[in-house]
Amino acid sequence: MTDVAVIGVQWGDEGKGKIVDWLSARADVVVRFQGGHNAGHTLVIDGKVYKLSLLPSGVVREGRLGVIGSGVVVDPWALFAEIARIEDQGVHVTPASLAIAENACLILPVHSELDAMREGAATGTKIGTTKRGIGPAYEDRAGRRAIRVVDLLHTDTLAGKVENLLVHHNAIRRGLGAAEVDAAALTEKLKEIAPKIAPFVKPVWKLLDEARKAGKRILFEGAQGVLLDVDHGTYPYVTSSNTVAGQAATGSGLGPRAVGYVLGIVKAYTTRVGEGPFPTELVDAIGEKIGARGHEFGTVTGRKRRCGWFDATLVRQSLKVAGVDGVALTKLDVLDGFETLNVCVGYDIDGARFDYLPAGIDAQSRIKPVYETMEGWKGSTVGARSWAQLPAEAVKYVRRIEELIERPVALVSTSPERDDVILMKDPFEN
Ligand code: GDP
């Protein structure tokens, strides 16, 4: 038995929700270790649908613990709005089912406002953020002026911390022509929410250490994907945190050997939301068809996703930088009925062949994908739960991908239903 981390391998939206849902049913503790309430996934438990964005999926399952690790940025108002939503569905969130790291940093209204002001400005690079203040909150963390969860428990010193933070923010706001924020008003707002969050605040590293010693199964739940990693993704069109598996340790307070098996979620084609390079993007009827069949619209934002062919070059690189042991290949059924399927096996940049994505944005913008064309399949893969239920060409497609990405496919997902998977290897049994 081993602890498992689940991470997205492309640009997010790979279908992590379904796989995390499936795995969390067998975990005792589920830990979020990066990102914020920009993540979004759906759990289906006993026919009831729960939409979560900041809460770890453990909280909706009886007897499980959900943990928000120190690597997560927490918007306390969004958190309690989400808790209220699931309490309306009959789930009671208590300190026995949710723990929040005392050293996690907060997202405040100044952060989401800054996000919106920057994206609205006429100049500069538009990243296409979700405007929830995630990026600015991480900036303040690195700038060592953030308000942390633990600060809410010490209300006597809170005002000074808020003033210090606002020296920075008000200078930017003046520059952008926005009204300054009043320190006393923000401090009051924080003091109001403090007693609500206090019962959940814990030394999470200690809690997790004890859980490990007691032989509990821990599932680390990643958000976004490797290509959005602030170090290893398509910078600057990335998120503000590390999304690779190493972050599961850093963002929860466990050592590098905390994760025994890393499951990477890979979609059978490629999608991306927002701006940035996308070598295999299809801006044609095929791209439209994939998007329509795969319902490629954001769970949180409703934004239409850009769609394209499977990029084995990019996925192979992501799997390596992220330290993935095995892959869950999702949404294979979306490719049913295509005459032929292209798989990107390398890049041509100004006549030179590349077997990886060069880091420079200029080179990235000149990439011409080199494709291998495979035969599509006529039959349906929807709901398949064994290899025998797949058309021969679909098996070939999966096997060829496995070869190209140099990692084993541990499971294949063939519909949004939790149990519609073909399982080769149980990630917990390693
Ligand atoms: P996440 O952000 O990685 O959790 O991905 P999303 O939840 O945004 O996107 C996954 C969407 O695809 C959800 O609507 C799922 O119900 C759906 N989905 C997941 N796996 C499959 C699959 O194998 N086939 C199909 N057709 N849909 C799937």
Side-chain angles (χ1 to χ4, degrees):
M1 193 192 88
T2 190
D3 292 333
V4 174
V6 172
I7 60 167
V9 173
Q10 291 145 313
W11 280 291
D13 311 315
E14 297 92 350
K16 290 181 292 297
K18 165 177 162 170
I19 307 294
V20 166
D21 183 16
W22 181 74
L23 287 172
S24 70
R26 292 143 71 230
D28 303 299
V29 182
V30 184
V31 187
R32 281 280 313 269
F33 54 85
Q34 46 78 223
H37 60 304
N38 51 344
H41 68 240
T42 306
L43 279 96
V44 186
I45 300 164
D46 299 332
K48 251 190 172 172
V49 178
Y50 302 92
K51 296 216 178 273
L52 302 179
S53 77
L54 180 60
L55 291 171
S57 39
V59 299
V60 289
R61 288 185 193 281
E62 193 74 35
R64 310 305 206 294
L65 176 67
V67 171
I68 296 180
S70 56
V72 176
V73 280
V74 180
D75 179 327
W77 298 279
L79 171 70
F80 286 104
E82 189 175 332
I83 290 178
R85 272 200 307 279
I86 68 162
E87 293 226 325
D88 279 348
Q89 289 187 276
V91 177
H92 199 38
V93 179
T94 70
S97 64
L98 176 67
I100 305 172
E102 51 187 4
N103 49 342
C105 292
L106 295 181
I107 303 178
L108 303 174
V110 284
H111 296 128
S112 43
E113 286 164 24
L114 186 56
D115 247 349
M117 285 188 273
R118 281 186 186 150
E119 290 276 317
T123 53
T125 308
K126 283 201 176 19
I127 307 291
T129 83
T130 51
K131 299 197 185 74
R132 281 161 199 245
I134 315 270
Y138 276 118
E139 285 173 35
D140 282 347
R141 181 177 81 151
R144 293 158 295 176
R145 57 183 165 262
I147 310 291
R148 300 190 300 166
V149 170
V150 68
D151 297 331
L152 297 177
L153 310 186
H154 303 285
T155 45
D156 47 335
T157 51
L158 186 58
K161 289 177 182 129
V162 171
E163 272 165 31
N164 180 52
L165 176 76
L166 290 181
V167 168
H168 176 82
H169 277 272
N170 281 336
I172 298 177
R173 293 172 75 98
R174 281 195 297 276
L176 290 169
E180 292 189 22
V181 173
D182 179 51
L186 178 53
T187 307
E188 268 325 294
K189 216 168 139 63
L190 288 170
K191 280 184 179 170
E192 264 167 42
I193 198 118
K196 280 183 86 177
I197 203 166
F200 300 98
V201 182
K202 305 269 168 67
V204 149
W205 65 270
K206 191 166 186 292
L207 205 81
L208 292 174
D209 182 54
E210 284 158 9
R212 290 188 76 200
K213 280 193 201 130
K216 306 261 195 226
R217 276 186 182 192
I218 304 177
L219 177 67
F220 298 90
E221 180 182 348
Q224 293 94 40
V226 176
L227 291 166
L228 294 170
D229 183 281
V230 66
D231 288 306
H232 301 288
T234 48
Y235 192 92
Y237 302 100
V238 292
T239 195
S240 307
S241 60
N242 285 110
T243 56
V244 293
Q247 179 62 21
T250 315
S252 62
L254 293 168
R257 276 185 285 274
V259 182
Y261 185 89
V262 180
L263 182 69
I265 315 298
V266 175
K267 187 143 57 178
Y269 49 94
T270 316
T271 63
R272 157 159 226 175
V273 181
E275 312 295 322
F278 181 172
T280 60
E281 182 171 14
L282 291 165
V283 274
D284 59 11
I286 300 177
E288 287 289 321
K289 184 171 165 186
I290 294 175
R293 298 197 47 180
H295 304 290
E296 297 297 351
F297 299 91
T299 331
V300 174
T301 58
R303 282 189 290 185
K304 193 171 170 182
R305 297 173 185 149
R306 298 154 65 192
C307 297
W309 295 121
F310 186 80
D311 189 339
T313 309
L314 214 45
V315 168
R316 182 175 58 231
Q317 179 170 339
S318 296
L319 294 172
K320 290 185 180 180
V321 298
V324 171
D325 296 303
V327 158
L329 191 70
T330 62
K331 300 189 107 168
L332 184 68
D333 54 294
V334 172
L335 299 180
D336 284 0
F338 280 84
E339 204 59 22
T340 55
L341 297 168
N342 283 346
V343 174
C344 175
V345 293
Y347 299 141
D348 178 302
I349 304 176
D350 305 329
R353 179 79 181 251
F354 281 73
D355 64 356
Y356 68 96
L357 183 79
I361 195 93
D362 303 321
Q364 289 176 0
S365 68
R366 296 200 305 282
I367 287 174
K368 289 197 192 77
V370 179
Y371 285 121
E372 188 173 290
T373 301
M374 300 194 62
E375 264 196 57
W377 49 91
K378 292 206 175 60
S380 164
T381 65
V382 179
R385 295 184 185 189
S386 72
W387 284 108
Q389 289 172 296
L390 294 183
E393 294 81 3
V395 175
K396 264 196 206 152
Y397 184 75
V398 177
R399 289 304 186 203
R400 181 63 184 138
I401 283 179
E402 197 170 38
E403 221 167 65
L404 290 167
I405 64 176
E406 298 174 16
R407 286 290 184 279
V409 171
L411 55 103
V412 178
S413 165
T414 54
S415 98
E417 290 302 314
R418 173 144 45 117
D419 296 318
D420 287 343
V421 288
I422 304 171
L423 181 65
M424 267 71 79
K425 185 176 179 63
D426 183 333
F428 278 119
E429 302 300 329
N430 272 283

